[in-house]
Amino acid sequence: LEISTRQLYQLWIAEGFISDNNEATAEKYLEQLINRGFVEANKRRAGGTINTCSIPGRCRPVLLGVASEVEFFFSPFMDTEGESQKNVKRFYALEQQSDFADLDDYDSHLHSLLYFTSESDHLDPIDWQKICEMFKLLRVLDLGSLVLIQYPFRIENLFLLRYLKLNIPSLNS
């Protein structure tokens, strides 16, 4: 999965990983991860700054396994044992809207909900209702390319949000 550095920095800041809320500090951290081989710079801008990055294939299984084991984050595509991970604060769904069914297994302390897909499916209103009612402590909500028909009802319940990415084509302003 390739991610833009701007989005990565915004996510790190929203999560509170960058204490001074500064993208320049986030860029220094990313450079350290690249120098240690944990992250690859995929594309660079003309000035040399990193535009997109990803986790190298050789590191991905180990890094994702450790992150899941220490309950840093969870994704259904990694769940080989079928176990619920209630204490996880970050949920990462990939490619399938059906991954939202797994949200029932989490408590209300989820901090981040990220959904990455290449397809523009419509978000089921039941899933939106579930998000707003169950996860009032969300700091980060990125529904990627999932399409919402209208501005989300009860979004005001998510009063701790620091990062919000929604796809609402019908919204003019």
Side-chain angles (χ1 to χ4, degrees), residues 66-123:
V66 169
S68 179
E69 188 173 315
V70 298
E71 297 180 332
F72 180 74
F73 81 91
F74 178 75
S75 180
F77 79 91
M78 296 171 43
D79 189 14
T80 56
E81 300 174 15
E83 295 179 10
S84 168
Q85 300 218 358
K86 268 190 158 305
N87 296 326
V88 173
K89 300 295 182 239
R90 292 158 199 90
F91 183 87
Y92 169 61
L94 182 66
E95 295 298 330
Q96 298 176 5
Q97 189 169 350
S98 62
D99 290 340
F100 281 115
D102 294 326
L103 292 177
D104 293 332
D105 295 336
Y106 292 83
D107 66 18
S108 62
H109 295 94
L110 198 66
H111 288 182
S112 295
L113 177 58
L114 304 169
Y115 184 81
F116 294 105
T117 182
S118 55
E119 298 180 16
S120 295
D121 291 332
H122 281 78
L123 180 66

